[in-house]
Amino acid sequence: TAYLKIADGCDAACGYCTIPAIKGPQRSKPPQDIAREARELEGQGVLEIVLIAQDTTAYGRDLGTRDGLPNLLRRIAKAVADLPWLRIMYAYPQHISPRLVSTMASVEPVCHYLDMPLQHGHPDVLRRMRRPHDLDHVRGTIASLRAAMPDISLRSTFIVGYPGETDAEFEALLAFMQEIAFDKVGVFAFSLEPDTHAATLPNQVPAEVIAERYDRAMRLQQEISLARNEEQIGWQMAVL
């Protein structure tokens, strides 16, 4: 397996993140260069290529292409016709287009898998994070992904203990995790980064509260992941 970076930098302004200050705005790699690198990796015996960027779904916007990732997937699939697996990571929830969903569902070798970092399950926390906060849109996107690819595996990440997070907001996150039932989830304890918007916010959550919330969220996801895994009993699949 190998990672193939398709862009670097980020145009988002998430309140907790220093990546835009460090890396600058997104810069997409030309598609012909990506296709050439994919062929080189396939020639080295790589069986799975994982496309990465801070936001893969924004690929090509700086090159003048509004919805560039579906075209890129098709170009890579044509360039590496014998590759078993092509995987997408770090999909920004608001940038997952219907065209991307249909491309994932129809183009070999694109994996029926998506890593969609959502960061929280309560709209007020998401607003403070300066993240997309329309959870009904997220629900609709996930429903369309599962309708097009019933076997899709979905992963997400969430932050607990973001400044101002109340008990009720945290409980809403747990309820959201239970509702969506992601196959895999990474939970992160909020860590204050200097020179970020989050560092200026009041009501910083005590470390012991963050630790307790982290433990509860991870224990819940263990139960969800186990149930999702048990649904695969009886399946037969190719693995790496």
Side-chain angles (χ1 to χ4, degrees):
T1 187
Y3 294 102
L4 200 171
K5 182 176 282 191
I6 64 173
D8 205 6
C10 187
D11 294 329
C14 302
Y16 48 81
C17 184
T18 58
I19 287 175
I22 296 169
K23 290 180 172 284
Q26 173 155 312
R27 300 173 306 285
S28 299
K29 189 180 294 181
Q32 64 271 19
D33 291 351
I34 296 171
R36 186 188 70 249
E37 288 184 40
R39 284 193 297 269
E40 290 171 356
L41 291 170
E42 185 187 37
Q44 295 167 15
V46 168
L47 298 176
E48 177 191 57
I49 293 176
V50 185
L51 302 182
I52 59 168
Q54 274 72 48
D55 174 9
T56 55
T57 42
Y59 174 80
R61 290 189 171 200
D62 54 310
L63 302 177
T65 304
R66 178 71 179 170
D67 191 19
L69 186 56
N71 290 341
L72 180 66
L73 293 174
R74 293 180 184 277
R75 183 161 188 162
I76 295 173
K78 186 176 181 180
V80 288
D82 296 326
L83 182 79
W85 293 291
L86 179 63
R87 190 177 302 273
I88 305 168
M89 293 188 75
Y90 310 131
Y92 203 71
Q94 303 305 104
H95 296 164
I96 300 170
S97 67
R99 190 160 158 266
L100 175 59
V101 175
S102 64
T103 300
M104 289 179 63
S106 62
V107 174
E108 297 285 351
V110 180
C111 294
H112 292 177
Y113 168 91
L114 200 60
D115 188 327
M116 187 191 321
L118 296 176
Q119 311 305 7
H120 212 275
H122 193 287
D124 291 344
V125 179
L126 290 167
R127 287 187 184 94
R128 294 198 297 275
M129 288 180 170
R130 297 181 171 177
R131 291 280 298 180
H133 54 267
D134 185 350
L135 292 175
D136 285 338
H137 177 85
V138 171
R139 290 180 176 96
T141 297
I142 290 171
S144 68
L145 286 163
R146 286 176 167 164
M149 296 166 281
D151 62 338
I152 193 169
S153 292
L154 296 174
R155 179 183 182 271
S156 193
T157 55
F158 297 104
I159 297 171
V160 296
Y162 192 76
E165 184 187 54
T166 65
D167 289 341
E169 289 170 343
F170 174 68
E171 293 294 339
L173 168 60
L174 297 183
F176 182 73
M177 291 170 59
Q178 189 84 61
E179 172 195 351
I180 302 299
F182 293 96
D183 297 88
K184 302 292 179 186
V185 162
V187 176
F188 294 88
F190 172 73
S191 177
L192 191 148
E193 292 283 345
D195 302 320
T196 61
H197 171 69
T200 70
L201 293 176
N203 303 316
Q204 299 283 329
V205 179
E208 62 273 14
V209 174
I210 295 177
E212 189 266 341
R213 290 176 180 174
Y214 170 86
D215 183 63
R216 285 185 62 194
M218 288 303 293
R219 281 190 284 114
L220 171 63
Q221 184 57 39
Q222 275 190 317
E223 298 172 4
I224 295 170
S225 290
L226 175 59
R228 297 289 290 176
N229 289 346
E230 286 176 337
E231 291 175 5
Q232 297 179 8
I233 293 173
W235 288 18
Q236 197 170 60
M237 63 188 79
V239 298
L240 181 60

PDB file of all heavy atoms in Angstrom, residues 127-139:
ATOM      1  N   ARG A 127     -20.107  25.316  14.878  1.00  0.00           N
ATOM      2  CA  ARG A 127     -19.995  26.757  14.579  1.00  0.00           C
ATOM      3  C   ARG A 127     -18.783  27.347  15.284  1.00  0.00           C
ATOM      4  O   ARG A 127     -18.043  28.148  14.696  1.00  0.00           O
ATOM      5  CB  ARG A 127     -21.273  27.476  15.017  1.00  0.00           C
ATOM      6  CG  ARG A 127     -22.485  27.218  14.132  1.00  0.00           C
ATOM      7  CD  ARG A 127     -23.647  28.103  14.535  1.00  0.00           C
ATOM      8  NE  ARG A 127     -24.845  27.806  13.761  1.00  0.00           N
ATOM      9  CZ  ARG A 127     -25.804  26.972  14.149  1.00  0.00           C
ATOM     10  NH1 ARG A 127     -25.711  26.365  15.323  1.00  0.00           N
ATOM     11  NH2 ARG A 127     -26.851  26.747  13.383  1.00  0.00           N
ATOM     12  N   ARG A 128     -18.580  26.987  16.547  1.00  0.00           N
ATOM     13  CA  ARG A 128     -17.411  27.509  17.279  1.00  0.00           C
ATOM     14  C   ARG A 128     -16.110  26.994  16.663  1.00  0.00           C
ATOM     15  O   ARG A 128     -15.075  27.658  16.743  1.00  0.00           O
ATOM     16  CB  ARG A 128     -17.489  27.123  18.757  1.00  0.00           C
ATOM     17  CG  ARG A 128     -18.636  27.776  19.513  1.00  0.00           C
ATOM     18  CD  ARG A 128     -18.434  27.724  21.021  1.00  0.00           C
ATOM     19  NE  ARG A 128     -18.402  26.379  21.558  1.00  0.00           N
ATOM     20  CZ  ARG A 128     -19.473  25.664  21.908  1.00  0.00           C
ATOM     21  NH1 ARG A 128     -20.696  26.163  21.718  1.00  0.00           N
ATOM     22  NH2 ARG A 128     -19.344  24.460  22.407  1.00  0.00           N
ATOM     23  N   MET A 129     -16.177  25.813  16.072  1.00  0.00           N
ATOM     24  CA  MET A 129     -15.004  25.254  15.391  1.00  0.00           C
ATOM     25  C   MET A 129     -14.771  25.886  14.017  1.00  0.00           C
ATOM     26  O   MET A 129     -13.750  25.620  13.387  1.00  0.00           O
ATOM     27  CB  MET A 129     -15.183  23.742  15.190  1.00  0.00           C
ATOM     28  CG  MET A 129     -15.082  22.910  16.437  1.00  0.00           C
ATOM     29  SD  MET A 129     -15.330  21.149  16.013  1.00  0.00           S
ATOM     30  CE  MET A 129     -14.872  20.372  17.564  1.00  0.00           C
ATOM     31  N   ARG A 130     -15.757  26.674  13.552  1.00  0.00           N
ATOM     32  CA  ARG A 130     -15.722  27.231  12.196  1.00  0.00           C
ATOM     33  C   ARG A 130     -15.707  26.111  11.154  1.00  0.00           C
ATOM     34  O   ARG A 130     -15.003  26.175  10.140  1.00  0.00           O
ATOM     35  CB  ARG A 130     -14.520  28.165  12.023  1.00  0.00           C
ATOM     36  CG  ARG A 130     -14.583  29.382  12.936  1.00  0.00           C
ATOM     37  CD  ARG A 130     -13.407  30.313  12.746  1.00  0.00           C
ATOM     38  NE  ARG A 130     -13.597  31.567  13.478  1.00  0.00           N
ATOM     39  CZ  ARG A 130     -12.703  32.552  13.533  1.00  0.00           C
ATOM     40  NH1 ARG A 130     -11.547  32.434  12.889  1.00  0.00           N
ATOM     41  NH2 ARG A 130     -12.945  33.654  14.210  1.00  0.00           N
ATOM     42  N   ARG A 131     -16.540  25.101  11.422  1.00  0.00           N
ATOM     43  CA  ARG A 131     -16.699  23.963  10.543  1.00  0.00           C
ATOM     44  C   ARG A 131     -18.108  23.971   9.952  1.00  0.00           C
ATOM     45  O   ARG A 131     -19.003  24.634  10.483  1.00  0.00           O
ATOM     46  CB  ARG A 131     -16.521  22.658  11.343  1.00  0.00           C
ATOM     47  CG  ARG A 131     -15.115  22.393  11.838  1.00  0.00           C
ATOM     48  CD  ARG A 131     -14.243  21.833  10.767  1.00  0.00           C
ATOM     49  NE  ARG A 131     -14.735  20.539  10.270  1.00  0.00           N
ATOM     50  CZ  ARG A 131     -14.142  19.835   9.313  1.00  0.00           C
ATOM     51  NH1 ARG A 131     -13.049  20.312   8.734  1.00  0.00           N
ATOM     52  NH2 ARG A 131     -14.640  18.687   8.901  1.00  0.00           N
ATOM     53  N   PRO A 132     -18.342  23.215   8.861  1.00  0.00           N
ATOM     54  CA  PRO A 132     -19.714  23.055   8.373  1.00  0.00           C
ATOM     55  C   PRO A 132     -20.608  22.502   9.478  1.00  0.00           C
ATOM     56  O   PRO A 132     -20.231  21.543  10.160  1.00  0.00           O
ATOM     57  CB  PRO A 132     -19.557  22.033   7.236  1.00  0.00           C
ATOM     58  CG  PRO A 132     -18.143  22.165   6.799  1.00  0.00           C
ATOM     59  CD  PRO A 132     -17.357  22.495   8.027  1.00  0.00           C
ATOM     60  N   HIS A 133     -21.766  23.119   9.681  1.00  0.00           N
ATOM     61  CA  HIS A 133     -22.589  22.745  10.831  1.00  0.00           C
ATOM     62  C   HIS A 133     -23.985  22.258  10.447  1.00  0.00           C
ATOM     63  O   HIS A 133     -24.831  22.049  11.311  1.00  0.00           O
ATOM     64  CB  HIS A 133     -22.708  23.924  11.799  1.00  0.00           C
ATOM     65  CG  HIS A 133     -23.210  25.195  11.153  1.00  0.00           C
ATOM     66  ND1 HIS A 133     -22.355  26.146  10.655  1.00  0.00           N
ATOM     67  CD2 HIS A 133     -24.462  25.631  10.910  1.00  0.00           C
ATOM     68  CE1 HIS A 133     -23.065  27.137  10.137  1.00  0.00           C
ATOM     69  NE2 HIS A 133     -24.346  26.847  10.269  1.00  0.00           N
ATOM     70  N   ASP A 134     -24.225  22.054   9.158  1.00  0.00           N
ATOM     71  CA  ASP A 134     -25.519  21.547   8.705  1.00  0.00           C
ATOM     72  C   ASP A 134     -25.502  20.021   8.773  1.00  0.00           C
ATOM     73  O   ASP A 134     -25.144  19.336   7.810  1.00  0.00           O
ATOM     74  CB  ASP A 134     -25.802  22.029   7.276  1.00  0.00           C
ATOM     75  CG  ASP A 134     -27.194  21.640   6.793  1.00  0.00           C
ATOM     76  OD1 ASP A 134     -27.860  20.846   7.484  1.00  0.00           O
ATOM     77  OD2 ASP A 134     -27.608  22.121   5.720  1.00  0.00           O
ATOM     78  N   LEU A 135     -25.908  19.477   9.912  1.00  0.00           N
ATOM     79  CA  LEU A 135     -25.851  18.037  10.108  1.00  0.00           C
ATOM     80  C   LEU A 135     -26.894  17.299   9.272  1.00  0.00           C
ATOM     81  O   LEU A 135     -26.703  16.121   8.944  1.00  0.00           O
ATOM     82  CB  LEU A 135     -26.008  17.708  11.596  1.00  0.00           C
ATOM     83  CG  LEU A 135     -24.828  18.163  12.465  1.00  0.00           C
ATOM     84  CD1 LEU A 135     -25.114  17.905  13.937  1.00  0.00           C
ATOM     85  CD2 LEU A 135     -23.537  17.467  12.051  1.00  0.00           C
ATOM     86  N   ASP A 136     -27.982  17.974   8.913  1.00  0.00           N
ATOM     87  CA  ASP A 136     -28.945  17.332   8.024  1.00  0.00           C
ATOM     88  C   ASP A 136     -28.328  17.097   6.643  1.00  0.00           C
ATOM     89  O   ASP A 136     -28.613  16.082   5.993  1.00  0.00           O
ATOM     90  CB  ASP A 136     -30.219  18.174   7.904  1.00  0.00           C
ATOM     91  CG  ASP A 136     -31.085  18.068   9.144  1.00  0.00           C
ATOM     92  OD1 ASP A 136     -30.937  17.077   9.891  1.00  0.00           O
ATOM     93  OD2 ASP A 136     -31.898  18.978   9.382  1.00  0.00           O
ATOM     94  N   HIS A 137     -27.483  18.028   6.209  1.00  0.00           N
ATOM     95  CA  HIS A 137     -26.764  17.825   4.941  1.00  0.00           C
ATOM     96  C   HIS A 137     -25.835  16.618   5.055  1.00  0.00           C
ATOM     97  O   HIS A 137     -25.741  15.796   4.121  1.00  0.00           O
ATOM     98  CB  HIS A 137     -25.955  19.074   4.594  1.00  0.00           C
ATOM     99  CG  HIS A 137     -25.126  18.922   3.350  1.00  0.00           C
ATOM    100  ND1 HIS A 137     -25.634  19.148   2.087  1.00  0.00           N
ATOM    101  CD2 HIS A 137     -23.829  18.557   3.171  1.00  0.00           C
ATOM    102  CE1 HIS A 137     -24.692  18.931   1.194  1.00  0.00           C
ATOM    103  NE2 HIS A 137     -23.587  18.569   1.824  1.00  0.00           N
ATOM    104  N   VAL A 138     -25.153  16.496   6.189  1.00  0.00           N
ATOM    105  CA  VAL A 138     -24.269  15.348   6.411  1.00  0.00           C
ATOM    106  C   VAL A 138     -25.071  14.057   6.371  1.00  0.00           C
ATOM    107  O   VAL A 138     -24.674  13.075   5.735  1.00  0.00           O
ATOM    108  CB  VAL A 138     -23.528  15.489   7.755  1.00  0.00           C
ATOM    109  CG1 VAL A 138     -22.773  14.201   8.098  1.00  0.00           C
ATOM    110  CG2 VAL A 138     -22.558  16.668   7.715  1.00  0.00           C
ATOM    111  N   ARG A 139     -26.220  14.056   7.051  1.00  0.00           N
ATOM    112  CA  ARG A 139     -27.060  12.855   7.047  1.00  0.00           C
ATOM    113  C   ARG A 139     -27.479  12.484   5.620  1.00  0.00           C
ATOM    114  O   ARG A 139     -27.476  11.314   5.245  1.00  0.00           O
ATOM    115  CB  ARG A 139     -28.298  13.078   7.916  1.00  0.00           C
ATOM    116  CG  ARG A 139     -28.017  13.163   9.419  1.00  0.00           C
ATOM    117  CD  ARG A 139     -29.301  13.380  10.206  1.00  0.00           C
ATOM    118  NE  ARG A 139     -29.072  13.364  11.637  1.00  0.00           N
ATOM    119  CZ  ARG A 139     -28.896  14.470  12.374  1.00  0.00           C
ATOM    120  NH1 ARG A 139     -28.955  15.672  11.789  1.00  0.00           N
ATOM    121  NH2 ARG A 139     -28.681  14.379  13.672  1.00  0.00           N
TER     122      ARG A 139
END
